[in-house]
Amino acid sequence: MTAFSKNPITYNNPVTNIFENCIILIVDDVPNNLKVLSDTLAHAGFEVAIATSGEGALQQLEHTPVSLILLDVMMPGMDGFETCQHIKANPKTQNIPIIFVTALTESVNKVTGFELGAVDYITKPFQQSEVLARVKTHLKLNQLSQSLEARNTELQQLTQQLEQRVTERTQELFASIETLKQTQQLMRLVFDTIPHWVGWKDINSVYFGCNQSLADALNLSSPDEIVGKTDYDLLFSKEESDCFVMCDRRVIESGEAEFHIIDQLRRPDGQQIWLDTSKMPLRDAKGNIFGILFVTEDVTERHIAQEELKQQKQNLEAALIKLQSAQVQLVQSEKMSALGNLVASVAHEINNPIGFLGGNIQPALDYIKDILGLVDLYEQKYPNPDADIQEKIEAIDLDYIREDLPKLVGSMREGVKRIRDISTSLRTFSRADSDRPVACNIHDGIDSTILILKHRLKAGENHPEIQVIKEYGQLPLVECFAGKLNQVFMNIMANAIDALEESNIGRSLEEIQANHNYITIITKISDDQRQVIISIKDNGKGMNEEIKQKVFDHLFTTKAVGKGTGLGLAIARQIVEETHGGKLSFNSVLGLGTEFIIEIPV
């Protein structure tokens, strides 16, 4: 007969007297307070240690195993709050419960204490019964917490022992099954020591036997009562029994064990439980399968804890998404507000002198015309001027002035017009949106964006001009928030310029000229006439698959520190899809470029 392992499974008994050997450290600079507290605790059977300052308390803790600290808040030198900070910062003492003793009643001081790690407050003057009650309560809580941690560790060790025991005893059962005639009694002897549900069946899922734990769970008077029954004869529903038998058949046919099969059952009292089952085929000495063994653990509490943790995770993720959305909206609002204020200020400063110049150019032309007419009249009346006048006419080249002065004033008029166009483009780009969408010309917004970015499109010392190819279709006016859409155009086009500049790194001017940088903007109406489609495409270096997956992620950026916030495309997508009910997508091929496609409902 094979010998079975007889290592006992033991459970630690809880401490019967939780106050035994407890040392209470009292920290107070007032001798009378020390005496009252120490006498009260000593009469209650506690061992008391005393310190008259924060520094003394820290020195005491280095060599005294203290169970609880009564700490005065108001002390000269290191006060109670600072002392508490030092205690909690020391791994050796950080778990000692601290009760502050104070005459302060302001809630802010109490909050400070709790934030520093205190567990309670006792207010002067003392009530002996209250002091004892609070001390005992927090000693109990601390002892229970330590006991719970120890019990959890012990339970983990017990689980490992049980798993090892199951393996050992199963192997022992396999080795002795041919020689032992009283199989059921032997198996019961083995498995009755296991707190999990253990049962064994033949190849037709008819029970050979079970342990006491399973018999108790099934309301059987003894484990023998299960012999000859099937799952259909027990407390399980037909659906549950079908599932058990199907799993048995799978293990028997495959000859392979299945571990951690999770089943959800409903008890006769209506309680929902979750079971973790492992099933193994039983083989005789020749290796033939003659039955199946299963071990089941009730994991209801663990499952509920996991579900609660999952729900908390979902709640945190939802809160994070909400926070990110609020952050994007705040950034967008602040950017548009700042831009609107800037443009309003610039436009105000520009419009006044431009208005002055524009209003005076025509009168100036009229005056010049009158003066030149007067000069002509003088020449007619006095065709032979004296030598001084003739010398002056030749010095100033009167004929050239007569021809060039109107052209000069005309150039001034054209310059004023161009400044007005720039001011108009700025105001068009960042126009303040109303509380509802208004009919706008999409092309005006794109053109204003191009004008604002013109300084980045011009040729530089190391790169030629970035060409903007516009292929505009016939678009209707679109009901939209124009300022926000212009922000989308600005972000996508600025990113395109960044991509082109990055693609030029390491290339010579000749290489860049051989493959010109360009941005193509195509607008059209969809085939069903329901959407306006704007395509902005560059011939930069494109994006790899990793970047494609993150391009719209909150705070993701490929730009260097200080050059990108990671909010631009996130804001753009929110404006297009949430604000306008449209769609923002992109196509990108590594080495060929990127195309962003904006679809806005008409």
Side-chain angles (χ1 to χ4, degrees):
M1 179 180 294
T2 303
F4 288 89
S5 174
K6 296 184 179 181
N7 295 328
I9 300 175
T10 60
Y11 294 87
N12 293 333
N13 292 325
V15 179
T16 56
N17 183 6
I18 66 172
F19 302 133
E20 185 178 356
N21 298 323
C22 287
I23 299 177
I24 311 299
L25 174 61
I26 306 173
V27 186
D28 200 318
D29 62 321
V30 180
N32 187 52
N33 292 343
L34 290 174
K35 184 176 186 310
V36 171
L37 290 173
S38 60
D39 289 347
T40 300
L41 294 173
H43 288 319
F46 291 103
E47 186 176 347
V48 178
I50 291 175
T52 59
S53 66
E55 294 85 351
L58 297 178
Q59 293 175 359
Q60 283 261 32
L61 290 172
E62 289 298 323
H63 55 78
T64 303
V66 173
S67 301
L68 184 141
I69 301 172
L70 292 175
L71 179 59
D72 187 23
V73 174
M74 302 299 294
M75 294 186 296
M78 183 185 296
D79 64 10
F81 291 149
E82 186 178 355
T83 304
C84 180
Q85 285 181 310
H86 284 287
I87 294 172
K88 293 300 178 182
N90 187 344
K92 181 179 176 181
T93 60
Q94 63 183 2
N95 293 323
I96 301 175
I98 297 174
I99 300 176
F100 274 123
V101 179
T102 180
L104 301 176
T105 59
E106 292 84 350
S107 59
V108 64
N109 292 307
K110 292 186 176 181
V111 169
T112 300
F114 287 129
E115 288 177 345
L116 292 174
V119 297
D120 206 346
Y121 264 87
I122 296 176
T123 305
K124 301 176 184 179
F126 308 121
Q127 295 292 331
Q128 292 185 358
S129 58
E130 179 186 3
V131 172
L132 287 175
R134 291 181 185 244
V135 167
K136 290 179 179 180
T137 296
H138 288 293
L139 282 174
K140 288 179 182 178
L141 290 175
N142 192 48
Q143 290 281 4
L144 288 174
S145 176
Q146 295 177 2
S147 176
L148 181 59
E149 291 180 4
R151 180 55 58 88
N152 286 337
T153 302
E154 183 182 352
L155 288 175
Q156 291 177 356
Q157 295 173 349
L158 287 175
T159 300
Q160 294 175 355
Q161 292 178 17
L162 289 172
E163 291 177 353
Q164 181 64 28
R165 188 71 55 81
V166 169
T167 302
E168 292 174 355
R169 297 205 173 182
T170 301
Q171 293 173 350
E172 292 167 356
L173 177 64
F174 292 160
S176 62
I177 195 168
E178 291 294 328
T179 59
L180 294 175
K181 301 301 182 180
Q182 300 176 345
T183 304
Q184 293 181 352
Q185 294 179 1
L186 179 60
M187 292 176 66
R188 184 178 306 162
L189 178 64
V190 174
F191 293 117
D192 279 349
T193 63
I194 301 175
H196 297 340
W197 303 348
V198 182
W200 47 99
K201 307 175 184 178
D202 65 15
I203 58 176
N204 296 314
S205 295
V206 177
Y207 279 92
F208 280 145
C210 71
N211 70 344
Q212 188 63 49
S213 296
L214 180 57
D216 293 340
L218 296 175
N219 293 332
L220 301 178
S221 57
S222 73
D224 294 333
E225 193 176 339
I226 202 172
V227 177
K229 296 182 182 294
T230 67
D231 292 312
Y232 296 97
D233 302 321
L234 301 173
L235 298 177
F236 308 115
S237 67
K238 183 179 182 304
E239 292 77 10
E240 294 167 348
S241 300
D242 288 341
C243 182
F244 297 156
V245 171
M246 186 182 303
C247 183
D248 294 345
R249 181 58 46 199
R250 215 169 42 239
V251 172
I252 291 172
E253 291 178 354
S254 68
E256 299 291 336
E258 292 189 11
F259 299 99
H260 301 298
I261 307 164
I262 304 299
D263 295 307
Q264 182 179 355
L265 303 182
R266 186 178 296 278
R267 288 185 173 181
D269 60 3
Q271 181 185 1
Q272 201 79 12
I273 62 172
W274 283 264
L275 304 177
D276 183 342
T277 302
S278 296
K279 294 190 176 184
M280 295 147 281
L282 295 173
R283 300 179 185 271
D284 59 22
K286 297 181 179 179
N288 299 318
I289 297 176
F290 67 88
I292 189 169
L293 172 72
F294 67 86
V295 179
T296 299
E297 179 185 4
D298 186 342
V299 294
T300 303
E301 292 185 2
R302 185 195 310 169
H303 177 81
I304 293 174
Q306 290 174 344
E307 288 298 315
E308 291 177 350
L309 182 62
K310 181 179 178 181
Q311 183 61 46
Q312 290 176 358
K313 180 181 177 183
Q314 292 175 348
N315 293 340
L316 289 174
E317 289 175 348
L320 178 60
I321 292 173
K322 186 176 180 181
L323 178 61
Q324 290 176 342
S325 177
Q327 183 182 15
V328 168
Q329 291 178 358
L330 180 61
V331 171
Q332 175 189 337
S333 175
E334 288 299 320
K335 286 176 67 176
M336 292 306 294
S337 175
L339 184 58
N341 291 335
L342 175 62
V343 170
S345 299
V346 172
H348 178 73
E349 294 299 325
I350 290 177
N351 286 339
N352 284 338
I354 290 303
F356 171 77
L357 291 173
N360 286 295
I361 285 177
Q362 187 57 48
L365 282 173
D366 293 339
Y367 295 157
I368 291 169
K369 183 178 179 182
D370 291 342
I371 291 172
L372 292 178
L374 179 60
V375 171
D376 291 341
L377 183 58
Y378 266 100
E379 287 181 345
Q380 291 175 10
K381 295 296 185 180
Y382 303 100
N384 300 311
D386 59 26
D388 292 339
I389 294 176
Q390 186 63 38
E391 183 180 352
K392 188 65 175 178
I393 290 174
E394 292 175 358
I396 66 174
D397 197 351
L398 181 60
D399 291 337
Y400 177 77
I401 292 176
R402 189 193 305 274
E403 178 183 355
D404 190 59
L405 187 56
K407 295 179 182 179
L408 181 63
V409 177
S411 296
M412 294 170 61
R413 173 181 286 171
E414 184 63 26
V416 169
K417 181 178 180 299
R418 291 187 63 184
I419 296 174
R420 279 180 174 167
D421 291 342
I422 292 173
S423 177
T424 301
S425 294
L426 285 172
R427 285 185 282 109
T428 299
F429 173 79
S430 61
R431 68 180 65 175
D433 291 317
S434 62
D435 57 354
R436 60 184 179 82
V438 296
C440 297
N441 186 329
I442 294 294
H443 293 155
D444 288 345
I446 297 175
D447 290 340
S448 67
T449 303
I450 295 173
L451 182 61
I452 292 172
L453 292 172
K454 192 171 183 180
H455 68 287
R456 296 192 63 190
L457 299 170
K458 290 180 178 179
E461 294 181 0
N462 301 318
H463 64 84
E465 177 185 8
I466 298 175
Q467 299 178 2
V468 177
I469 304 170
K470 297 189 290 187
E471 298 178 13
Y472 288 171
Q474 295 294 327
L475 301 184
L477 295 179
V478 178
E479 294 282 340
C480 65
F481 296 93
K484 293 181 180 179
L485 272 187
N486 291 341
Q487 187 180 355
V488 175
F489 301 149
M490 171 67 76
N491 183 268
I492 293 176
M493 291 186 64
N495 284 348
I497 295 172
D498 291 339
L500 291 172
E501 291 177 347
E502 188 175 350
S503 69
N504 291 335
I505 297 176
R507 300 169 62 197
S508 65
L509 183 60
E510 292 75 15
E511 290 174 331
I512 299 173
Q513 289 174 336
N515 184 18
H516 284 293
N517 297 147
Y518 64 83
I519 298 173
T520 303
I521 304 174
I522 302 173
T523 64
K524 63 181 181 179
I525 192 77
S526 63
D527 294 338
D528 58 8
Q529 305 293 309
R530 293 183 178 180
Q531 292 178 318
V532 165
I533 302 175
I534 304 106
S535 166
I536 302 176
K537 181 179 181 181
D538 65 71
N539 65 333
K541 68 176 187 178
M543 294 182 279
N544 59 34
E545 291 300 322
E546 181 181 0
I547 294 177
K548 286 181 185 180
Q549 298 298 323
K550 301 178 181 179
V551 69
F552 290 119
D553 286 358
H554 185 75
L555 298 179
F556 174 76
T557 180
T558 59
K559 299 176 183 178
V561 176
K563 293 186 177 181
T565 63
L567 293 173
L569 286 177
I571 293 174
R573 190 177 207 178
Q574 185 182 69
I575 291 172
V576 173
E577 298 186 357
E578 296 183 17
T579 304
H580 290 89
K583 181 181 179 181
L584 177 60
S585 58
F586 70 94
N587 300 312
S588 185
V589 179
L590 195 62
L592 296 180
T594 301
E595 176 187 22
F596 277 88
I597 303 168
I598 305 165
E599 301 176 41
I600 303 295
V602 177

